[in-house]
Amino acid sequence: MKILKEDIRSRIVIAARREFINNGFRKTSMRTISAKSGVVLGNIYNYFKTKDDIFYAVLRPLLAVLDERMSSYHIEHNKIDQLDFSMQGQKDLLRETLKIIFLYKEELKLLLFESKGTSLEAFRENFIEKQIAISKEYIDQMQKVYPQIQTNVSSLFFRLSSSTWVTIIGEIVSSAEIRKEEAKQALSEYIRYNTAGWRELINQ
């Protein structure tokens, strides 16, 4: 019986994902999800209380990956014992970013551009705030390890730097014309550019 319930839940989520991608959250109705999934409308409410709950279920795999990525980044910075501007560090960031973008391209579009009116509408701002906190913590810890480093990065710059990453990802996922190789080149260029900029700020 448990397997059957999971199968029904999966059918609802798969059908809803397709409709959200094609029509957006607001233009997708519960009746349409019912028709496309083959699950009676009344039965859907046995699995999801609202359309918003279904939207969250569609995006849950992406949200889990993003949370894991942010957590691992935080852990790395908690263990900082060297200035890491290495080429390998840049390659790792490029690889992980590309993997997330192209594995969850449609979900990222939904999250960044179709979440208004849902429980995830504050995701962009919350994500930026997390990035800001991690960046500030990184600088603080680095100054403890390297007292000779003196830097005074403005709060506004932290925000601009963090929000730029979200903008870049949004630009890539919102255009069907941008292929993986083109995105890889552009992201690689930006990571090198961004790394050089932070190195300059930290060593000022």
Side-chain angles (χ1 to χ4, degrees):
M1 192 66 171
K2 184 177 180 180
I3 295 176
L4 179 59
K5 287 183 177 180
E6 287 303 314
D7 180 60
I8 294 174
R9 185 182 178 90
S10 178
R11 282 164 53 191
I12 294 168
V13 171
I14 290 171
R17 178 184 181 274
R18 189 183 308 116
E19 292 305 307
F20 289 148
I21 290 170
N22 292 336
N23 303 309
F25 175 79
R26 288 173 294 282
K27 293 183 179 179
T28 296
S29 69
M30 292 290 278
R31 289 188 179 280
T32 300
I33 294 173
S34 171
K36 298 293 184 178
S37 66
V39 179
V40 177
L41 182 59
N43 195 22
I44 287 181
Y45 289 107
N46 290 324
Y47 299 88
F48 301 98
K49 293 181 179 179
T50 65
K51 185 173 66 168
D52 180 72
D53 288 342
I54 302 177
F55 188 73
Y56 190 92
V58 168
L59 296 180
R60 183 177 287 114
L62 168 62
L63 295 171
V65 168
L66 293 176
D67 282 344
E68 181 181 1
R69 179 60 185 165
M70 293 290 278
S71 296
S72 66
Y73 192 68
H74 186 72
I75 291 171
E76 289 171 10
H77 285 184
N78 279 342
K79 296 180 179 179
I80 183 171
D81 59 2
Q82 62 180 353
L83 293 173
D84 185 11
F85 292 120
S86 66
M87 285 300 297
Q88 186 59 50
Q90 295 178 48
K91 289 179 180 178
D92 290 344
L93 176 58
L94 175 62
R95 184 185 67 253
E96 289 301 317
T97 304
L98 280 172
K99 179 181 177 181
I100 292 172
I101 287 175
F102 284 93
L103 188 59
Y104 297 102
K105 188 173 183 179
E106 297 299 338
E107 285 81 359
L108 280 165
K109 280 198 291 185
L110 290 174
L111 185 58
L112 294 177
F113 303 111
E114 287 291 335
S115 61
K116 186 176 180 180
T118 76
S119 57
L120 292 170
E121 67 178 352
F123 171 83
R124 180 190 291 263
E125 181 60 26
N126 291 338
F127 186 82
I128 290 172
E129 289 295 334
K130 287 179 182 178
Q131 289 247 10
I132 291 172
I134 289 173
S135 297
K136 286 183 175 180
E137 184 180 12
Y138 180 75
I139 296 296
D140 290 343
Q141 291 188 19
M142 192 161 49
Q143 288 180 318
K144 291 177 182 177
V145 176
Y146 301 94
Q148 70 274 20
I149 293 177
Q150 297 296 321
T151 185
N152 184 26
V153 180
S154 69
S155 295
L156 178 58
F157 181 79
F158 278 114
R159 171 164 289 278
L160 292 173
S161 178
S162 298
S163 61
T164 296
W165 266 110
V166 179
T167 300
I168 289 172
I169 292 172
E171 286 290 326
I172 293 174
V173 301
S174 64
S175 175
E177 298 178 359
I178 297 178
R179 303 304 178 192
K180 190 170 184 178
E181 283 306 310
E182 183 181 5
K184 181 178 180 179
Q185 179 180 346
L187 280 171
S188 176
E189 291 165 348
Y190 179 73
I191 289 171
R192 286 158 49 203
Y193 169 84
N194 193 46
T195 300
W198 275 107
R199 185 188 291 115
E200 177 66 21
L201 284 173
I202 289 171
N203 292 331
Q204 67 181 1

